[in-house]
Amino acid sequence: MVANLSEETKKHLQNQLIKLGDMIGDGLADEPGGKWIRKDYAKVAKALGYGPDRTAKNAAINQAMMKRCNDVTCGKCGGLLVQTRSGSKRAVCQQGHKWQLLK
């Protein structure tokens, strides 16, 4: 989203981010009525393109879970494990025992 911003807008948002960050650092966001500061900080940071990469990693998790479910059996009953749902790192056996297989 940063590519769509003009230099003037980008500079304004950066100054606003610094100002809000200073307010958070001074403790104003923790006082009553200061919740808006953190919300605005998050919005401005997102507009500038800062933040975690939110790309989906389900395909890689599903492949790793298929391999792990084939290698491991249930520790309580010895049954086969099946992934609970797509993108999940948990597995369940036929008896209903749940296991966390990947961390």
Side-chain angles (χ1 to χ4, degrees):
M1 186 168 171
V2 178
N4 297 340
L5 299 176
S6 68
E7 286 299 319
E8 184 179 320
T9 304
K10 192 190 239 184
K11 188 168 184 141
H12 173 72
L13 288 174
Q14 287 173 342
N15 289 335
Q16 196 174 11
L17 188 71
I18 292 169
K19 187 188 303 184
L20 290 167
D22 288 343
M23 291 172 77
I24 291 171
D26 291 341
L28 297 176
D30 297 328
E31 293 182 1
K35 193 173 183 179
W36 67 271
I37 298 171
R38 291 188 194 277
K39 287 182 181 179
D40 281 358
Y41 184 88
K43 287 179 186 177
V44 172
K46 186 175 181 178
L48 286 170
Y50 300 130
D53 183 20
R54 299 282 183 188
T55 57
K57 297 175 178 74
N58 289 351
I61 292 172
N62 290 341
Q63 285 185 345
M65 281 296 291
M66 278 179 42
K67 183 177 184 296
R68 186 76 172 133
C69 286
N70 289 334
D71 294 343
V72 178
T73 59
C74 178
K76 294 183 180 177
C77 66
L80 296 174
L81 295 176
V82 180
Q83 187 177 11
T84 54
R85 64 180 180 191
S86 178
S88 172
K89 296 178 182 179
R90 291 182 180 256
V92 65
C93 73
Q94 295 171 347
Q95 299 295 324
H97 303 118
K98 291 183 182 177
W99 299 94
Q100 180 83 27
L101 295 183
L102 299 175
K103 291 192 179 194

Coordinates of all heavy atoms in Angstrom, one line a residue:
M1 N 0.8 -1.2 0.0 CA 0.0 0.0 0.0 C 0.9 1.3 0.0 O 0.4 2.3 -0.4 CB -0.9 0.0 1.2 CG -1.9 1.1 1.2 SD -3.1 0.8 2.5 CE -3.9 2.3 2.5
V2 N 2.1 1.1 0.4 CA 3.0 2.3 0.4 C 3.3 2.8 -1.0 O 3.4 4.0 -1.1 CB 4.3 1.9 1.1 CG1 5.3 3.0 1.1 CG2 4.1 1.4 2.5
A3 N 3.2 2.0 -2.0 CA 3.5 2.4 -3.3 C 2.4 3.4 -3.8 O 2.7 4.3 -4.7 CB 3.6 1.2 -4.3
N4 N 1.2 3.4 -3.3 CA 0.2 4.2 -3.8 C 0.2 5.6 -3.1 O -0.6 6.5 -3.5 CB -1.2 3.6 -3.5 CG -1.4 2.3 -4.3 OD1 -0.7 2.1 -5.2 ND2 -2.3 1.4 -3.8
L5 N 1.0 5.8 -2.1 CA 1.0 7.0 -1.3 C 2.0 8.0 -2.0 O 3.1 7.7 -2.4 CB 1.4 6.8 0.1 CG 0.6 5.9 0.9 CD1 1.2 5.6 2.3 CD2 -0.8 6.4 1.1
S6 N 1.6 9.3 -2.0 CA 2.5 10.3 -2.4 C 3.5 10.6 -1.4 O 3.4 10.2 -0.2 CB 1.7 11.6 -2.7 OG 1.2 12.2 -1.5
E7 N 4.6 11.3 -1.7 CA 5.7 11.5 -0.8 C 5.2 12.4 0.4 O 5.6 12.2 1.5 CB 6.9 12.2 -1.5 CG 7.7 11.2 -2.4 CD 8.3 10.1 -1.6 OE1 8.8 10.4 -0.4 OE2 8.3 9.0 -2.0
E8 N 4.3 13.4 0.0 CA 3.8 14.3 1.1 C 2.9 13.5 2.1 O 3.1 13.7 3.3 CB 3.0 15.4 0.4 CG 2.4 16.4 1.3 CD 1.7 17.5 0.6 OE1 2.1 17.9 -0.5 OE2 0.6 17.9 1.1
T9 N 2.1 12.6 1.6 CA 1.2 11.8 2.4 C 2.1 10.8 3.3 O 1.8 10.7 4.5 CB 0.2 11.0 1.6 OG1 -0.5 11.9 0.8 CG2 -0.7 10.2 2.5
K10 N 3.1 10.2 2.7 CA 3.9 9.3 3.4 C 4.7 10.0 4.5 O 4.7 9.5 5.6 CB 4.9 8.7 2.4 CG 5.7 7.5 2.9 CD 6.8 7.2 2.0 CE 6.8 5.9 1.4 NZ 8.0 5.6 0.5
K11 N 5.2 11.2 4.2 CA 5.9 12.0 5.3 C 4.9 12.3 6.4 O 5.3 12.3 7.6 CB 6.5 13.2 4.7 CG 7.4 13.9 5.6 CD 8.2 14.9 4.9 CE 9.2 15.6 5.9 NZ 10.5 15.8 5.4
H12 N 3.7 12.8 6.1 CA 2.7 13.1 7.1 C 2.4 11.9 8.0 O 2.3 12.0 9.2 CB 1.4 13.6 6.4 CG 0.3 13.9 7.4 ND1 0.3 14.9 8.3 CD2 -0.8 13.2 7.6 CE1 -0.8 14.8 9.0 NE2 -1.5 13.8 8.6
L13 N 2.2 10.7 7.3 CA 1.9 9.5 8.1 C 3.1 9.1 9.0 O 2.9 8.7 10.1 CB 1.5 8.4 7.2 CG 0.1 8.5 6.5 CD1 -0.1 7.4 5.5 CD2 -1.0 8.5 7.5
Q14 N 4.3 9.3 8.5 CA 5.4 8.9 9.3 C 5.5 9.9 10.5 O 5.8 9.4 11.7 CB 6.7 9.0 8.5 CG 6.8 7.9 7.5 CD 8.0 8.0 6.6 OE1 8.5 9.1 6.4 NE2 8.4 6.9 5.9
N15 N 5.3 11.2 10.3 CA 5.3 12.1 11.5 C 4.2 11.8 12.5 O 4.4 11.8 13.7 CB 5.1 13.5 11.0 CG 6.4 14.0 10.3 OD1 7.5 13.5 10.5 ND2 6.2 15.0 9.4
Q16 N 3.0 11.4 12.0 CA 1.9 11.0 12.8 C 2.3 9.7 13.6 O 1.9 9.6 14.8 CB 0.7 10.8 12.0 CG -0.6 10.8 12.7 CD -1.8 10.7 11.8 OE1 -1.7 10.5 10.6 NE2 -3.0 10.9 12.3
L17 N 2.9 8.8 13.0 CA 3.3 7.6 13.6 C 4.3 7.9 14.8 O 4.2 7.3 15.9 CB 4.0 6.6 12.6 CG 4.3 5.2 13.1 CD1 2.9 4.4 13.3 CD2 5.1 4.5 12.1
I18 N 5.3 8.8 14.5 CA 6.2 9.1 15.5 C 5.5 9.8 16.7 O 5.8 9.5 17.9 CB 7.3 10.1 14.9 CG1 8.2 9.3 14.0 CG2 8.1 10.7 16.0 CD1 9.1 10.1 13.1
K19 N 4.6 10.7 16.4 CA 3.9 11.4 17.5 C 3.0 10.4 18.3 O 3.1 10.5 19.6 CB 2.9 12.5 16.8 CG 2.3 13.4 17.9 CD 1.2 14.3 17.3 CE 1.7 15.1 16.1 NZ 0.7 16.1 15.6
L20 N 2.3 9.5 17.7 CA 1.5 8.5 18.4 C 2.4 7.6 19.2 O 2.1 7.2 20.3 CB 0.7 7.7 17.4 CG -0.5 8.5 16.8 CD1 -1.1 7.7 15.7 CD2 -1.5 8.9 17.8
G21 N 3.6 7.2 18.7 CA 4.5 6.4 19.4 C 5.1 7.1 20.6 O 5.2 6.4 21.7
D22 N 5.3 8.4 20.5 CA 5.8 9.1 21.7 C 4.7 9.2 22.7 O 5.0 9.1 23.9 CB 6.2 10.5 21.3 CG 7.5 10.6 20.5 OD1 8.2 9.6 20.6 OD2 7.7 11.6 19.8
M23 N 3.4 9.3 22.3 CA 2.3 9.3 23.3 C 2.2 8.0 24.0 O 2.0 7.9 25.2 CB 1.0 9.7 22.5 CG 1.0 11.1 22.0 SD -0.5 11.4 21.0 CE -1.8 11.5 22.2
I24 N 2.4 6.9 23.2 CA 2.4 5.6 23.9 C 3.5 5.4 24.8 O 3.4 4.9 26.0 CB 2.4 4.5 22.8 CG1 1.1 4.5 22.0 CG2 2.6 3.1 23.4 CD1 1.1 3.5 20.8
G25 N 4.7 5.9 24.4 CA 5.9 5.8 25.3 C 5.7 6.6 26.6 O 6.3 6.3 27.6
D26 N 5.0 7.7 26.5 CA 4.8 8.6 27.7 C 3.7 8.0 28.6 O 3.5 8.5 29.7 CB 4.4 10.0 27.3 CG 5.5 10.7 26.6 OD1 6.7 10.3 26.8 OD2 5.3 11.7 25.9
G27 N 3.0 7.0 28.1 CA 2.0 6.3 29.0 C 0.6 6.9 28.8 O -0.3 6.5 29.5
L28 N 0.4 7.8 27.8 CA -0.9 8.3 27.6 C -1.9 7.3 27.1 O -3.1 7.5 27.4 CB -0.8 9.5 26.7 CG 0.0 10.7 27.1 CD1 0.1 11.8 26.0 CD2 -0.6 11.3 28.4
A29 N -1.5 6.3 26.5 CA -2.4 5.3 25.9 C -2.9 4.4 27.0 O -3.9 3.7 26.8 CB -1.7 4.4 24.9
D30 N -2.3 4.3 28.2 CA -2.7 3.5 29.3 C -3.7 4.2 30.2 O -4.2 3.6 31.1 CB -1.5 3.0 30.1 CG -0.6 2.1 29.2 OD1 -1.1 1.4 28.3 OD2 0.7 2.1 29.5
E31 N -3.8 5.5 30.0 CA -4.7 6.3 30.9 C -6.2 6.1 30.4 O -6.4 5.7 29.2 CB -4.4 7.7 30.8 CG -3.0 8.0 31.5 CD -2.7 9.5 31.5 OE1 -3.5 10.3 31.0 OE2 -1.6 9.8 32.0
P32 N -7.2 6.4 31.2 CA -8.6 6.3 30.8 C -8.8 7.2 29.5 O -8.4 8.4 29.5 CB -9.3 6.8 32.0 CG -8.4 6.6 33.1 CD -7.0 6.8 32.6
G33 N -9.4 6.7 28.5 CA -9.7 7.4 27.3 C -8.6 7.4 26.3 O -8.6 8.1 25.3
G34 N -7.5 6.7 26.6 CA -6.3 6.7 25.7 C -6.3 5.5 24.8 O -5.3 5.3 24.1
K35 N -7.3 4.7 24.7 CA -7.3 3.5 23.8 C -7.2 3.9 22.4 O -6.7 3.2 21.5 CB -8.6 2.7 24.1 CG -8.6 1.4 23.5 CD -9.8 0.6 24.0 CE -9.8 -0.8 23.4 NZ -10.9 -1.6 23.9
W36 N -7.7 5.1 22.0 CA -7.7 5.5 20.6 C -6.3 5.7 20.1 O -6.0 5.5 18.9 CB -8.4 6.8 20.5 CG -7.8 8.0 21.1 CD1 -8.0 8.4 22.4 CD2 -6.8 8.9 20.6 NE1 -7.2 9.5 22.7 CE2 -6.4 9.8 21.6 CE3 -6.2 9.0 19.3 CZ2 -5.5 10.8 21.4 CZ3 -5.3 10.0 19.1 CH2 -4.9 10.9 20.2
I37 N -5.3 5.9 21.0 CA -3.9 6.1 20.6 C -3.3 4.9 19.9 O -2.7 4.9 18.9 CB -3.1 6.6 21.8 CG1 -3.6 8.0 22.3 CG2 -1.6 6.7 21.3 CD1 -3.0 8.4 23.6
R38 N -3.5 3.7 20.6 CA -3.0 2.5 20.1 C -3.7 2.1 18.8 O -3.1 1.6 17.8 CB -3.2 1.4 21.1 CG -2.2 1.5 22.3 CD -2.3 0.3 23.2 NE -1.7 0.6 24.5 CZ -0.4 0.5 24.7 NH1 0.5 0.2 23.8 NH2 0.1 0.8 25.9
K39 N -5.0 2.4 18.7 CA -5.8 2.0 17.5 C -5.3 2.9 16.3 O -5.1 2.4 15.2 CB -7.3 2.3 17.7 CG -8.0 1.3 18.6 CD -9.4 1.6 18.7 CE -10.1 0.6 19.6 NZ -11.5 0.8 19.7
D40 N -5.1 4.2 16.5 CA -4.6 5.0 15.5 C -3.2 4.6 15.1 O -2.8 4.7 13.9 CB -4.6 6.5 15.9 CG -6.0 7.1 15.8 OD1 -6.9 6.4 15.4 OD2 -6.1 8.3 16.1
Y41 N -2.4 4.3 16.0 CA -1.0 3.9 15.8 C -1.0 2.6 14.8 O -0.3 2.6 13.8 CB -0.3 3.5 17.1 CG 1.2 3.2 16.9 CD1 2.2 4.2 16.8 CD2 1.6 1.9 16.7 CE1 3.5 3.9 16.7 CE2 2.9 1.5 16.5 CZ 3.9 2.5 16.5 OH 5.2 2.2 16.3
A42 N -1.9 1.7 15.1 CA -2.0 0.5 14.3 C -2.5 0.8 12.9 O -1.9 0.2 11.9 CB -2.9 -0.5 15.0
K43 N -3.4 1.7 12.8 CA -3.9 2.1 11.5 C -2.9 2.8 10.6 O -2.7 2.5 9.4 CB -5.2 3.0 11.6 CG -6.4 2.3 12.1 CD -7.5 3.3 12.2 CE -8.8 2.7 12.8 NZ -9.8 3.6 13.0
V44 N -2.1 3.7 11.2 CA -1.1 4.4 10.5 C 0.0 3.5 10.1 O 0.5 3.5 9.0 CB -0.6 5.6 11.4 CG1 0.6 6.3 10.7 CG2 -1.7 6.6 11.6
A45 N 0.4 2.6 11.0 CA 1.5 1.6 10.7 C 1.1 0.7 9.5 O 1.9 0.4 8.7 CB 1.8 0.8 11.9
K46 N -0.2 0.3 9.5 CA -0.7 -0.5 8.4 C -0.7 0.2 7.1 O -0.4 -0.3 6.1 CB -2.1 -1.1 8.8 CG -2.6 -2.1 7.8 CD -3.9 -2.6 8.2 CE -4.4 -3.6 7.2 NZ -5.7 -4.3 7.5
A47 N -1.1 1.5 7.2 CA -1.1 2.3 6.0 C 0.3 2.5 5.4 O 0.4 2.6 4.2 CB -1.8 3.7 6.3
L48 N 1.3 2.5 6.3 CA 2.7 2.7 5.8 C 3.3 1.4 5.4 O 4.4 1.3 4.8 CB 3.5 3.3 6.9 CG 3.3 4.8 7.1 CD1 4.0 5.3 8.4 CD2 3.8 5.6 5.9
G49 N 2.6 0.3 5.6 CA 3.1 -1.0 5.2 C 3.9 -1.8 6.2 O 4.5 -2.8 5.9
Y50 N 3.9 -1.3 7.5 CA 4.6 -2.0 8.5 C 3.7 -3.0 9.1 O 2.5 -2.9 9.1 CB 5.0 -1.0 9.6 CG 5.9 0.1 9.2 CD1 5.6 1.4 9.5 CD2 7.0 -0.1 8.5 CE1 6.4 2.5 9.1 CE2 7.9 0.9 8.1 CZ 7.5 2.2 8.4 OH 8.3 3.2 8.0
G51 N 4.3 -4.1 9.7 CA 3.6 -5.1 10.3 C 3.9 -6.5 9.8 O 4.7 -6.6 8.8
P52 N 3.4 -7.5 10.4 CA 3.7 -8.9 10.0 C 3.2 -9.3 8.6 O 2.2 -8.7 8.1 CB 3.0 -9.7 11.1 CG 1.9 -8.9 11.6 CD 2.4 -7.5 11.5
D53 N 3.8 -10.2 8.0 CA 3.4 -10.7 6.7 C 2.2 -11.7 7.0 O 2.4 -12.7 7.7 CB 4.6 -11.4 6.0 CG 4.2 -12.0 4.7 OD1 3.2 -11.5 4.1 OD2 4.9 -12.9 4.2
R54 N 1.1 -11.5 6.4 CA -0.1 -12.3 6.7 C -0.4 -13.3 5.6 O -1.5 -13.6 5.4 CB -1.3 -11.4 6.9 CG -1.2 -10.4 8.0 CD -1.5 -11.1 9.3 NE -1.4 -10.2 10.4 CZ -1.5 -10.5 11.6 NH1 -1.6 -11.8 11.9 NH2 -1.4 -9.6 12.6
T55 N 0.6 -13.7 4.9 CA 0.4 -14.7 3.8 C 0.0 -16.0 4.4 O 0.5 -16.4 5.5 CB 1.6 -14.9 2.9 OG1 2.7 -15.3 3.7 CG2 2.0 -13.6 2.2
A56 N -0.8 -16.8 3.7 CA -1.3 -18.1 4.2 C -0.2 -19.1 4.1 O 0.5 -19.2 3.1 CB -2.5 -18.5 3.4
K57 N -0.1 -19.9 5.1 CA 1.0 -21.0 5.1 C 0.3 -22.3 5.3 O 0.9 -23.3 5.7 CB 1.9 -20.7 6.3 CG 2.7 -19.4 6.1 CD 3.6 -19.1 7.3 CE 4.4 -17.9 7.1 NZ 3.6 -16.6 7.2
N58 N -1.0 -22.4 4.9 CA -1.7 -23.6 5.1 C -1.2 -24.8 4.3 O -1.1 -25.9 4.8 CB -3.2 -23.4 4.8 CG -3.9 -22.6 5.7 OD1 -3.4 -22.3 6.8 ND2 -5.1 -22.2 5.4
A59 N -0.8 -24.6 3.1 CA -0.3 -25.7 2.3 C 1.0 -26.3 2.9 O 1.1 -27.6 3.0 CB 0.0 -25.2 0.9
A60 N 1.9 -25.5 3.4 CA 3.1 -26.1 4.0 C 2.8 -26.8 5.3 O 3.3 -27.9 5.6 CB 4.1 -25.0 4.3
I61 N 1.9 -26.2 6.1 CA 1.5 -26.9 7.3 C 0.8 -28.2 7.1 O 1.0 -29.2 7.7 CB 0.5 -26.0 8.2 CG1 1.3 -24.8 8.7 CG2 -0.1 -26.7 9.3 CD1 0.5 -23.7 9.3
N62 N -0.1 -28.2 6.1 CA -0.8 -29.5 5.7 C 0.1 -30.6 5.3 O 0.0 -31.7 5.7 CB -1.9 -29.2 4.6 CG -3.0 -28.4 5.2 OD1 -3.3 -28.3 6.4 ND2 -3.8 -27.8 4.3
Q63 N 1.1 -30.2 4.5 CA 2.1 -31.3 4.0 C 2.9 -31.8 5.2 O 3.1 -33.0 5.3 CB 3.0 -30.7 3.0 CG 2.4 -30.5 1.6 CD 3.4 -30.1 0.6 OE1 4.5 -29.6 0.9 NE2 3.0 -30.2 -0.7
A64 N 3.3 -30.9 6.1 CA 4.1 -31.3 7.3 C 3.3 -32.2 8.2 O 3.7 -33.2 8.7 CB 4.6 -30.1 8.0
M65 N 2.0 -31.9 8.3 CA 1.1 -32.6 9.2 C 0.8 -34.0 8.6 O 0.7 -35.0 9.3 CB -0.2 -31.9 9.4 CG -0.1 -30.8 10.4 SD 0.2 -31.4 12.1 CE -1.3 -32.3 12.5
M66 N 0.7 -34.1 7.2 CA 0.5 -35.4 6.6 C 1.6 -36.3 6.9 O 1.5 -37.5 7.3 CB 0.3 -35.3 5.1 CG -1.1 -34.9 4.7 SD -1.3 -34.7 2.9 CE -0.4 -36.0 2.2
K67 N 2.8 -35.8 6.8 CA 4.1 -36.6 7.1 C 4.1 -37.0 8.5 O 4.4 -38.2 8.9 CB 5.3 -35.8 6.7 CG 6.6 -36.6 6.8 CD 7.8 -35.7 6.3 CE 9.1 -36.5 6.4 NZ 9.5 -36.9 7.7
R68 N 3.8 -36.0 9.4 CA 3.9 -36.3 10.8 C 2.8 -37.3 11.3 O 3.1 -38.2 12.1 CB 3.7 -35.0 11.6 CG 3.9 -35.1 13.1 CD 5.4 -35.2 13.4 NE 5.5 -35.1 14.9 CZ 6.2 -35.9 15.6 NH1 7.0 -36.8 15.1 NH2 6.3 -35.7 16.9
C69 N 1.6 -37.2 10.7 CA 0.6 -38.1 11.1 C 0.9 -39.5 10.7 O 0.5 -40.5 11.3 CB -0.8 -37.7 10.5 SG -1.5 -36.3 11.4
N70 N 1.6 -39.7 9.5 CA 2.0 -41.0 9.1 C 3.1 -41.6 9.9 O 3.2 -42.8 10.1 CB 2.4 -40.9 7.6 CG 1.3 -40.7 6.7 OD1 0.1 -41.1 7.0 ND2 1.5 -40.1 5.5
D71 N 3.9 -40.7 10.5 CA 5.1 -41.2 11.3 C 4.7 -41.5 12.7 O 5.4 -42.4 13.4 CB 6.2 -40.2 11.3 CG 6.8 -39.9 9.9 OD1 6.6 -40.8 9.1 OD2 7.5 -38.9 9.8
V72 N 3.7 -40.9 13.3 CA 3.3 -41.0 14.7 C 2.0 -41.7 14.9 O 1.1 -41.5 14.0 CB 3.3 -39.6 15.3 CG1 3.0 -39.7 16.8 CG2 4.7 -39.0 15.1
T73 N 1.8 -42.4 15.9 CA 0.5 -43.0 16.3 C 0.1 -42.4 17.6 O 0.9 -41.7 18.3 CB 0.6 -44.5 16.4 OG1 1.5 -44.9 17.4 CG2 0.9 -45.2 15.1
C74 N -1.1 -42.6 18.0 CA -1.7 -42.1 19.3 C -0.9 -42.7 20.4 O -0.7 -43.9 20.5 CB -3.2 -42.4 19.4 SG -3.9 -41.8 20.9
G75 N -0.5 -41.9 21.4 CA 0.3 -42.3 22.5 C -0.6 -43.1 23.6 O 0.0 -43.8 24.4
K76 N -1.9 -42.9 23.5 CA -2.8 -43.6 24.5 C -3.3 -44.9 24.0 O -3.3 -45.9 24.7 CB -3.9 -42.6 24.9 CG -3.4 -41.4 25.7 CD -4.5 -40.6 26.1 CE -4.0 -39.4 26.9 NZ -5.1 -38.4 27.3
C77 N -3.8 -44.9 22.7 CA -4.5 -46.1 22.2 C -3.8 -46.7 21.0 O -4.1 -47.8 20.6 CB -5.9 -45.8 21.8 SG -6.1 -44.6 20.4
G78 N -2.8 -46.0 20.4 CA -2.0 -46.5 19.3 C -2.7 -46.4 18.0 O -2.3 -47.0 17.0
G79 N -3.8 -45.6 17.9 CA -4.6 -45.5 16.7 C -3.9 -44.5 15.8 O -3.0 -43.8 16.1
L80 N -4.5 -44.4 14.6 CA -4.0 -43.5 13.5 C -4.4 -42.1 13.9 O -5.5 -41.9 14.4 CB -4.6 -43.9 12.2 CG -4.2 -45.3 11.6 CD1 -4.9 -45.5 10.3 CD2 -2.7 -45.3 11.4
L81 N -3.6 -41.1 13.5 CA -3.9 -39.7 13.8 C -4.3 -39.0 12.5 O -3.8 -39.4 11.4 CB -2.7 -39.0 14.3 CG -2.2 -39.5 15.7 CD1 -0.9 -38.8 16.1 CD2 -3.3 -39.3 16.8
V82 N -5.2 -38.1 12.6 CA -5.7 -37.4 11.4 C -5.8 -35.9 11.8 O -6.1 -35.5 13.0 CB -7.2 -37.8 11.1 CG1 -7.7 -37.0 9.9 CG2 -7.2 -39.3 10.8
Q83 N -5.3 -35.0 10.9 CA -5.3 -33.6 11.2 C -6.8 -33.1 11.5 O -7.7 -33.5 10.8 CB -4.8 -32.9 10.0 CG -4.6 -31.4 10.1 CD -3.9 -30.8 8.9 OE1 -3.8 -31.4 7.9 NE2 -3.5 -29.5 9.0
T84 N -6.9 -32.2 12.5 CA -8.3 -31.8 12.8 C -8.9 -31.0 11.8 O -10.1 -31.1 11.5 CB -8.3 -31.0 14.2 OG1 -7.4 -30.0 14.1 CG2 -7.9 -31.9 15.3
R85 N -8.2 -30.1 11.2 CA -8.7 -29.3 10.0 C -7.6 -28.6 9.3 O -6.4 -28.6 9.8 CB -9.7 -28.2 10.5 CG -9.1 -27.1 11.4 CD -10.1 -26.1 11.8 NE -9.5 -25.1 12.6 CZ -10.2 -24.2 13.3 NH1 -11.5 -24.2 13.2 NH2 -9.6 -23.3 14.0
S86 N -7.8 -28.1 8.1 CA -6.8 -27.6 7.2 C -6.1 -26.4 7.9 O -6.7 -25.5 8.5 CB -7.4 -27.1 5.9 OG -6.4 -26.6 5.1
G87 N -4.8 -26.4 7.9 CA -4.0 -25.4 8.5 C -3.7 -25.6 10.0 O -3.0 -24.8 10.6
S88 N -4.3 -26.6 10.6 CA -4.2 -26.8 12.0 C -2.9 -27.7 12.3 O -2.5 -28.5 11.4 CB -5.4 -27.5 12.5 OG -5.2 -27.9 13.9
K89 N -2.3 -27.5 13.4 CA -1.2 -28.3 13.8 C -1.6 -29.3 14.9 O -0.7 -29.9 15.5 CB -0.1 -27.4 14.4 CG 0.4 -26.4 13.3 CD 1.5 -25.5 13.9 CE 1.9 -24.5 12.9 NZ 2.9 -23.5 13.4
R90 N -2.8 -29.6 15.0 CA -3.3 -30.6 15.9 C -3.9 -31.8 15.1 O -4.3 -31.7 14.0 CB -4.5 -30.0 16.7 CG -4.0 -29.0 17.7 CD -5.2 -28.5 18.5 NE -4.8 -27.5 19.5 CZ -4.6 -27.7 20.8 NH1 -4.9 -28.9 21.3 NH2 -4.2 -26.7 21.5
A91 N -3.8 -32.9 15.8 CA -4.3 -34.2 15.2 C -5.2 -34.9 16.3 O -5.0 -34.7 17.5 CB -3.2 -35.1 14.8
V92 N -6.1 -35.7 15.8 CA -7.0 -36.4 16.7 C -7.0 -37.9 16.2 O -6.9 -38.2 15.0 CB -8.4 -35.8 16.7 CG1 -9.1 -35.9 15.4 CG2 -9.2 -36.4 17.8
C93 N -7.1 -38.8 17.2 CA -7.2 -40.2 16.8 C -8.7 -40.6 16.7 O -9.6 -39.8 17.0 CB -6.4 -41.1 17.8 SG -7.2 -41.3 19.4
Q94 N -8.9 -41.9 16.4 CA -10.3 -42.4 16.3 C -11.0 -42.4 17.6 O -12.3 -42.3 17.7 CB -10.3 -43.8 15.6 CG -9.8 -43.7 14.2 CD -9.7 -45.1 13.7 OE1 -9.7 -46.1 14.4 NE2 -9.5 -45.2 12.3
Q95 N -10.3 -42.5 18.7 CA -10.9 -42.5 20.0 C -11.2 -41.1 20.6 O -11.8 -40.9 21.6 CB -10.0 -43.2 21.0 CG -9.7 -44.7 20.7 CD -11.0 -45.5 20.7 OE1 -11.8 -45.3 21.6 NE2 -11.1 -46.5 19.8
G96 N -10.7 -40.1 19.9 CA -10.9 -38.7 20.3 C -9.8 -38.1 21.0 O -9.9 -36.9 21.5
H97 N -8.6 -38.7 21.2 CA -7.5 -38.1 21.9 C -6.9 -37.1 21.0 O -6.5 -37.4 19.8 CB -6.5 -39.2 22.3 CG -7.0 -40.3 23.1 ND1 -7.1 -41.6 22.7 CD2 -7.6 -40.2 24.3 CE1 -7.6 -42.3 23.7 NE2 -8.0 -41.5 24.7
K98 N -6.7 -35.9 21.5 CA -6.1 -34.8 20.7 C -4.6 -34.6 21.0 O -4.2 -34.8 22.1 CB -6.8 -33.5 21.0 CG -8.2 -33.4 20.5 CD -8.8 -32.1 20.7 CE -10.3 -32.1 20.3 NZ -11.0 -30.9 20.5
W99 N -3.8 -34.3 19.9 CA -2.4 -34.2 20.1 C -1.9 -32.9 19.3 O -2.4 -32.7 18.2 CB -1.7 -35.4 19.5 CG -2.0 -36.6 20.3 CD1 -3.0 -37.5 19.9 CD2 -1.5 -37.1 21.5 NE1 -3.1 -38.5 20.8 CE2 -2.1 -38.3 21.8 CE3 -0.5 -36.6 22.3 CZ2 -1.8 -39.0 23.0 CZ3 -0.2 -37.4 23.5 CH2 -0.8 -38.5 23.8
Q100 N -1.0 -32.2 19.9 CA -0.3 -31.1 19.2 C 1.0 -31.7 18.6 O 1.9 -32.1 19.3 CB 0.1 -30.0 20.2 CG 0.8 -28.8 19.6 CD -0.2 -27.8 19.1 OE1 -1.4 -27.8 19.5 NE2 0.2 -27.1 18.1
L101 N 1.0 -31.8 17.2 CA 2.1 -32.5 16.6 C 3.2 -31.5 16.1 O 4.4 -31.9 16.1 CB 1.6 -33.3 15.4 CG 0.7 -34.4 15.7 CD1 0.3 -35.2 14.5 CD2 1.3 -35.4 16.7
L102 N 2.9 -30.3 15.7 CA 3.9 -29.3 15.3 C 3.8 -28.1 16.2 O 2.8 -27.7 16.6 CB 3.6 -28.9 13.8 CG 3.7 -30.0 12.8 CD1 3.2 -29.5 11.4 CD2 5.0 -30.6 12.7
K103 N 5.0 -27.5 16.4 CA 5.0 -26.3 17.2 C 5.7 -25.2 16.5 O 6.5 -25.4 15.6 CB 5.7 -26.6 18.5 CG 4.9 -27.5 19.4 CD 5.4 -27.5 20.8 CE 4.5 -28.4 21.6 NZ 4.6 -28.3 23.0

